[in-house]
Amino acid sequence: MNLSRRLTALALALGSLAPFAAQAQDYPSRNVSIVVPFGAGGGVDITARLLAEKLRTTLGGTVIVENKAGGSGMIGAQAVVKAAPDGHTLLLGSAGETAINPFVYKGRMQYDPAKDLVPVTLVVRVPNVLVVANQLPVKNVEELVAHAKKNPGKLSYSTSGVGNPQHLNGELLEELAGLHMVHIPYRGAAGQLVDVTAGLVDMTFVSYTAAKAFIQAGKVRALAVTSATRAPYAPDLPAIAEYKPLAKYQLENWFGLFAPAGTPDAVVQKLNAAVTAALKDPELAKKLREQGGEPTPMSPQQFKDFIKKESAQFERIVTTARIVAE
């Protein structure tokens, strides 16, 4: 190729990149909306509002939070899927509606997270905490497993619904420890915790934020966290995996930012940089940890790979336990 042709090819290449560069430079051109697919006051909502406040500085412009609850998070997710792919409508999604529901709801979902959403970055990892009723004669995971084995089918555990990370936490414990327990799904953390305090249910898997007041008041007994290692928000609380027979135990909820499929890569990268900068702010990181979340920014590709790995574990547990949402 002679010099003239090389220069022409270079000019064409640079020309083709110009629109994408302009899109990133002009973004955001109006308000950015972060859709939370759950009600106000929950973990995803609080995380979104804390993040939005900081993004107004790192991204620039106005960032608002919209709650679109219902359908196990799928109504809000679908609203983002249908939005214009320009980066102005985003989803702060949890593991449920983005990585678990496809296996629980199968063909009943109206969107495919892997095809219809673009991963921007993981925001926080949110381990659950395992708490038991004070009436239950156990003080650690080892004693719990022994007690459950002596009473097959008699121990019950509550969660905030069928097929969510809390439910999968229970199924994973049953699988790895060889237990048979009774799952009792509730609609929200308040009910599932109140009945544990009353001794109507033996134990529960729940977010630390929801359980914190109950634990501090001595109404329930915290045994462990569901992450592979101890959580920064409760360094004195062991991980379930510290009990050697359950060394492979690890299952956390997590919240991540997504954009509609078709969003220009330059916009995704700008969003990623803005969120990463926000999460590195010590003040925001402290507030997120107080809510039971560990800031864990990733590149879009890293987040995509993370979701793929997590989804494989979720699918295995759902399939093994034969979990089907009604």
Side-chain angles (χ1 to χ4, degrees):
M1 183 182 291
N2 60 35
L3 180 60
S4 177
R5 289 182 178 179
R6 288 179 180 176
L7 291 174
T8 300
L10 178 60
L12 290 172
L14 292 174
S16 66
L17 293 174
F20 296 100
Q23 285 173 322
Q25 185 176 353
D26 297 339
Y27 174 80
S29 59
R30 61 178 188 277
N31 291 352
V32 173
S33 174
I34 298 178
V35 174
V36 170
F38 302 101
V44 181
D45 178 69
I46 294 172
T47 299
R49 294 181 188 280
L50 290 172
L51 179 62
E53 181 179 358
K54 192 63 183 177
L55 282 178
R56 293 179 188 122
T57 300
T58 60
L59 183 63
T62 301
V63 182
I64 61 175
V65 174
E66 291 186 78
N67 296 91
K68 295 186 178 182
S72 297
M74 292 185 288
I75 290 177
Q78 189 174 349
V80 174
V81 166
K82 292 182 177 180
D86 56 13
H88 291 91
T89 302
L90 307 170
L91 172 72
L92 187 66
S94 70
E97 67 279 5
T98 61
I100 299 176
N101 286 0
F103 311 117
V104 175
Y105 289 87
K106 298 183 184 285
R108 288 181 287 167
M109 288 183 67
Q110 298 183 27
Y111 66 94
D112 182 345
K115 295 180 180 179
D116 299 330
L117 292 170
V118 176
V120 176
T121 182
L122 182 63
V123 176
V124 289
R125 301 181 73 144
V126 191
N128 282 315
V129 59
L130 167 60
V131 301
V132 301
N134 287 330
Q135 297 90 331
L136 201 66
V138 302
K139 295 182 180 179
N140 53 51
V141 173
E142 182 177 2
E143 291 181 1
L144 174 65
V145 171
H147 183 74
K149 286 185 175 180
K150 289 180 182 179
N151 299 275
K154 294 183 179 180
L155 262 68
S156 58
Y157 70 96
S158 60
T159 70
S160 58
V162 174
N164 62 23
Q166 295 176 4
H167 184 190
L168 269 57
N169 275 134
E171 295 290 353
L172 183 61
L173 179 62
E174 288 191 72
E175 176 190 340
L176 295 182
L179 307 179
H180 174 47
M181 302 186 296
V182 179
H183 174 226
I184 303 177
Y186 285 70
R187 291 187 177 181
Q192 75 187 82
L193 276 164
V194 167
D195 281 1
V196 173
T197 65
L200 299 176
V201 182
D202 294 305
M203 53 189 260
T204 188
F205 294 90
V206 69
S207 71
Y208 184 74
T209 303
K212 186 176 180 180
F214 291 84
I215 296 170
Q216 292 179 338
K219 294 181 178 180
V220 294
R221 185 182 305 118
L223 297 189
V225 292
T226 65
S227 46
T229 58
R230 300 191 181 202
Y233 61 70
D236 295 330
L237 199 58
I240 292 176
E242 290 182 37
Y243 174 47
K244 289 185 178 180
L246 301 179
K248 294 183 179 180
Y249 191 102
Q250 178 186 10
L251 196 151
E252 305 167 82
N253 195 2
W254 42 263
F255 310 153
L257 197 67
F258 297 81
T263 301
D265 184 63
V267 172
V268 172
Q269 294 295 340
K270 187 171 183 178
L271 271 168
N272 179 274
V275 176
T276 298
L279 294 177
K280 288 182 178 179
D281 177 73
E283 183 180 356
L284 175 59
K286 179 182 177 182
K287 290 179 179 178
L288 291 172
R289 290 188 178 107
E290 289 173 349
Q291 297 300 320
E294 180 60 26
T296 316
M298 296 179 175
S299 71
Q301 185 60 50
Q302 287 174 330
F303 187 30
K304 184 177 181 179
D305 294 341
F306 172 83
I307 295 171
K308 184 177 181 180
K309 183 179 179 180
E310 290 284 288
S311 295
Q313 182 189 29
F314 296 148
E315 181 180 19
R316 186 190 60 76
I317 296 172
V318 169
T319 301
T320 301
R322 299 180 180 178
I323 301 173
V324 178
E326 297 180 357

